[in-house]
Amino acid sequence: DADGNTIYDENGNAVTEQVKDGTVTYYDLWPNDAVGSTELQDDVAADYTEGRVMTLDALQNTDPTDSRDGNVSAEGRKADGIVQISTTSDQDATAKSTANDLGSGNGAYNACTNNCSTFTQNVLNSVFPNVDASQQVRPSGALRLLYDDASVVAPNNLYNSALKVKGAKRVRGPKQAEAK
Protein backbone atom coordinates (compact mmCIF):
# COMPACT_ATOMS: atom_id res chain seq x y z
CA ASP A 1 0.00 0.00 0.00
CA ALA A 2 1.01 3.65 0.05
CA ASP A 3 2.72 3.13 3.42
CA GLY A 4 4.85 0.21 2.18
CA ASN A 5 2.81 -2.50 3.90
CA THR A 6 2.27 -5.81 2.11
CA ILE A 7 -1.27 -6.39 0.86
CA TYR A 8 -2.57 -9.96 1.03
CA ASP A 9 -5.30 -11.63 -1.02
CA GLU A 10 -8.10 -13.79 0.43
CA ASN A 11 -5.74 -16.81 0.49
CA GLY A 12 -3.05 -15.03 2.47
CA ASN A 13 -0.69 -14.59 -0.51
CA ALA A 14 1.13 -11.32 -1.01
CA VAL A 15 -0.34 -9.35 -3.91
CA THR A 16 2.21 -8.19 -6.44
CA GLU A 17 1.98 -5.95 -9.45
CA GLN A 18 4.32 -5.93 -12.41
CA VAL A 19 5.38 -2.53 -13.61
CA LYS A 20 6.88 -1.96 -17.05
CA ASP A 21 10.50 -1.05 -16.54
CA GLY A 22 11.90 -1.52 -20.05
CA THR A 23 13.66 -4.80 -19.31
CA VAL A 24 13.49 -8.24 -20.85
CA THR A 25 14.56 -11.53 -19.33
CA TYR A 26 16.91 -13.59 -21.48
CA TYR A 27 17.11 -17.40 -21.21
CA ASP A 28 19.12 -19.76 -23.36
CA LEU A 29 20.27 -23.36 -23.75
CA TRP A 30 23.70 -24.41 -24.97
CA PRO A 31 25.72 -27.59 -24.86
CA ASN A 32 28.14 -27.48 -21.93
CA ASP A 33 30.98 -28.63 -24.20
CA ALA A 34 31.37 -28.40 -27.96
CA VAL A 35 29.26 -30.96 -29.82
CA GLY A 36 31.38 -33.14 -32.07
CA SER A 37 30.45 -33.93 -35.66
CA THR A 38 29.33 -37.43 -34.64
CA GLU A 39 27.26 -36.25 -31.63
CA LEU A 40 24.48 -34.32 -33.39
CA GLN A 41 21.82 -36.76 -32.20
CA ASP A 42 23.42 -37.58 -28.85
CA ASP A 43 22.37 -36.22 -25.47
CA VAL A 44 25.22 -34.20 -23.98
CA ALA A 45 25.55 -32.09 -20.83
CA ALA A 46 23.56 -28.87 -21.08
CA ASP A 47 24.32 -25.29 -20.07
CA TYR A 48 21.10 -23.39 -19.30
CA THR A 49 21.35 -19.62 -19.00
CA GLU A 50 19.16 -18.56 -16.11
CA GLY A 51 16.93 -15.52 -16.53
CA ARG A 52 19.24 -12.63 -17.27
CA VAL A 53 17.50 -9.28 -16.92
CA MET A 54 18.62 -6.72 -19.48
CA THR A 55 17.23 -3.82 -21.45
CA LEU A 56 15.84 -4.34 -24.93
CA ASP A 57 18.58 -1.98 -26.15
CA ALA A 58 21.25 -4.23 -24.60
CA LEU A 59 19.64 -7.29 -26.16
CA GLN A 60 19.75 -5.58 -29.56
CA ASN A 61 23.29 -4.25 -29.32
CA THR A 62 25.36 -6.67 -27.26
CA ASP A 63 26.05 -10.39 -27.14
CA PRO A 64 23.54 -11.84 -24.65
CA THR A 65 25.36 -15.20 -24.74
CA ASP A 66 28.48 -14.00 -22.94
CA SER A 67 27.51 -14.94 -19.37
CA ARG A 68 27.27 -18.71 -19.32
CA ASP A 69 28.88 -21.42 -17.25
CA GLY A 70 29.74 -23.90 -19.99
CA ASN A 71 32.86 -24.39 -22.08
CA VAL A 72 31.43 -23.30 -25.44
CA SER A 73 32.52 -19.85 -26.57
CA ALA A 74 29.94 -17.06 -26.68
CA GLU A 75 28.70 -16.09 -30.11
CA GLY A 76 30.55 -12.79 -29.94
CA ARG A 77 27.84 -10.83 -31.75
CA LYS A 78 24.45 -9.27 -31.21
CA ALA A 79 21.32 -11.21 -32.11
CA ASP A 80 20.46 -11.54 -35.81
CA GLY A 81 16.74 -11.55 -35.17
CA ILE A 82 14.58 -10.40 -32.28
CA VAL A 83 10.81 -10.79 -32.11
CA GLN A 84 8.88 -9.01 -29.37
CA ILE A 85 5.50 -10.49 -28.47
CA SER A 86 2.97 -8.56 -26.40
CA THR A 87 2.04 -10.50 -23.27
CA THR A 88 0.15 -10.03 -20.03
CA SER A 89 1.85 -10.25 -16.65
CA ASP A 90 0.30 -13.72 -16.20
CA GLN A 91 1.72 -14.85 -19.54
CA ASP A 92 5.13 -13.46 -18.55
CA ALA A 93 4.99 -15.41 -15.29
CA THR A 94 4.03 -18.61 -17.13
CA ALA A 95 6.85 -18.21 -19.66
CA LYS A 96 9.43 -17.48 -16.94
CA SER A 97 8.20 -20.41 -14.86
CA THR A 98 8.46 -22.74 -17.85
CA ALA A 99 11.97 -21.51 -18.69
CA ASN A 100 13.07 -21.93 -15.09
CA ASP A 101 11.48 -25.39 -14.84
CA LEU A 102 13.16 -26.57 -18.04
CA GLY A 103 16.49 -25.17 -16.91
CA SER A 104 16.29 -26.53 -13.38
CA GLY A 105 15.46 -29.99 -14.72
CA ASN A 106 18.88 -29.95 -16.35
CA GLY A 107 17.66 -31.89 -19.35
CA ALA A 108 20.43 -32.87 -21.70
CA TYR A 109 21.26 -30.79 -24.75
CA ASN A 110 20.66 -32.55 -28.07
CA ALA A 111 21.34 -30.69 -31.31
CA CYS A 112 18.26 -32.32 -32.87
CA THR A 113 15.72 -32.79 -30.09
CA ASN A 114 16.58 -30.28 -27.34
CA ASN A 115 18.55 -27.35 -28.68
CA CYS A 116 18.25 -23.59 -28.05
CA SER A 117 15.36 -23.30 -30.51
CA THR A 118 13.51 -26.29 -29.03
CA PHE A 119 13.90 -24.73 -25.58
CA THR A 120 12.56 -21.39 -26.81
CA GLN A 121 9.66 -23.02 -28.67
CA ASN A 122 8.68 -24.91 -25.50
CA VAL A 123 8.67 -21.66 -23.51
CA LEU A 124 6.68 -19.91 -26.26
CA ASN A 125 4.17 -22.79 -26.41
CA SER A 126 3.54 -22.48 -22.67
CA VAL A 127 1.80 -19.20 -23.48
CA PHE A 128 0.98 -19.46 -27.20
CA PRO A 129 0.19 -23.11 -28.00
CA ASN A 130 0.64 -24.61 -31.44
CA VAL A 131 3.81 -22.81 -32.50
CA ASP A 132 5.65 -25.42 -34.55
CA ALA A 133 8.97 -24.42 -36.07
CA SER A 134 10.15 -27.96 -36.75
CA GLN A 135 11.43 -29.21 -40.04
CA GLN A 136 12.24 -32.71 -41.20
CA VAL A 137 15.92 -33.33 -41.70
CA ARG A 138 16.95 -36.32 -43.78
CA PRO A 139 20.69 -36.95 -43.81
CA SER A 140 22.13 -38.00 -47.13
CA GLY A 141 25.20 -39.85 -48.32
CA ALA A 142 27.63 -41.05 -45.65
CA LEU A 143 25.72 -39.13 -42.98
CA ARG A 144 22.92 -41.74 -43.27
CA LEU A 145 25.30 -44.16 -41.56
CA LEU A 146 25.57 -41.88 -38.52
CA TYR A 147 22.18 -40.22 -38.26
CA ASP A 148 18.48 -41.00 -38.43
CA ASP A 149 15.87 -38.74 -39.97
CA ALA A 150 14.86 -36.11 -37.42
CA SER A 151 12.35 -33.39 -36.76
CA VAL A 152 14.42 -30.38 -35.70
CA VAL A 153 13.35 -26.96 -34.44
CA ALA A 154 15.63 -24.67 -36.40
CA PRO A 155 16.38 -21.04 -35.43
CA ASN A 156 15.20 -19.51 -38.71
CA ASN A 157 11.95 -21.48 -38.61
CA LEU A 158 11.39 -20.38 -35.02
CA TYR A 159 11.99 -16.74 -35.96
CA ASN A 160 9.43 -17.03 -38.79
CA SER A 161 6.92 -18.82 -36.54
CA ALA A 162 7.32 -16.27 -33.75
CA LEU A 163 6.54 -13.46 -36.20
CA LYS A 164 3.15 -15.12 -36.84
CA VAL A 165 2.09 -15.08 -33.16
CA LYS A 166 -0.67 -12.58 -32.45
CA GLY A 167 0.89 -9.38 -31.09
CA ALA A 168 4.36 -10.15 -32.50
CA LYS A 169 6.59 -7.31 -33.62
CA ARG A 170 9.89 -7.56 -35.48
CA VAL A 171 12.50 -5.66 -33.51
CA ARG A 172 15.57 -6.80 -35.44
CA GLY A 173 15.99 -8.99 -38.46
CA PRO A 174 14.40 -9.64 -41.84
CA LYS A 175 10.67 -9.86 -42.53
CA GLN A 176 11.28 -13.58 -42.96
CA ALA A 177 14.38 -15.73 -42.51
CA GLU A 178 15.36 -18.48 -44.92
CA ALA A 179 15.35 -21.91 -43.36
CA LYS A 180 18.36 -23.97 -44.38
Side-chain angles (χ1 to χ4, degrees):
D1 66 10
D3 297 324
N5 299 309
T6 303
I7 298 173
Y8 297 95
D9 65 15
E10 63 276 1
N11 298 320
N13 298 316
V15 176
T16 61
E17 178 181 340
Q18 285 190 325
V19 178
K20 289 183 182 183
D21 65 0
T23 63
V24 297
T25 307
Y26 174 83
Y27 294 85
D28 206 347
L29 167 60
W30 286 70
N32 190 63
D33 297 300
V35 175
S37 59
T38 61
E39 297 177 299
L40 295 177
Q41 291 183 342
D42 294 347
D43 289 346
V44 298
D47 176 20
Y48 287 88
T49 301
E50 295 180 13
R52 179 178 173 197
V53 177
M54 58 195 321
T55 65
L56 183 57
D57 183 64
L59 181 63
Q60 291 181 74
N61 296 301
T62 62
D63 178 6
T65 69
D66 65 354
S67 63
R68 293 176 297 100
D69 295 328
N71 301 313
V72 177
S73 298
E75 290 184 335
R77 60 183 172 80
K78 58 190 174 193
D80 294 331
I82 300 172
V83 178
Q84 183 177 27
I85 301 172
S86 297
T87 56
T88 66
S89 59
D90 286 345
Q91 289 171 319
D92 286 348
T94 297
K96 287 179 182 182
S97 176
T98 300
N100 287 325
D101 288 348
L102 291 170
S104 67
N106 292 318
Y109 178 93
N110 185 300
C112 287
T113 61
N114 192 37
N115 59 42
C116 58
S117 296
T118 310
F119 173 79
T120 303
Q121 179 176 282
N122 289 337
V123 172
L124 189 58
N125 277 328
S126 72
V127 177
F128 300 100
N130 304 317
V131 172
D132 183 7
S134 61
Q135 71 182 50
Q136 282 300 119
V137 175
R138 183 173 169 82
S140 60
L143 292 176
R144 295 273 319 141
L145 299 173
L146 293 173
Y147 300 115
D148 297 323
D149 293 353
S151 178
V152 178
V153 177
N156 288 349
N157 290 351
L158 184 59
Y159 177 81
N160 293 335
S161 294
L163 284 170
K164 295 176 184 172
V165 172
K166 184 178 180 184
K169 172 182 154 189
R170 179 173 50 95
V171 175
R172 160 165 282 152
K175 291 182 180 178
Q176 181 173 334
E178 182 181 349
K180 297 182 179 181

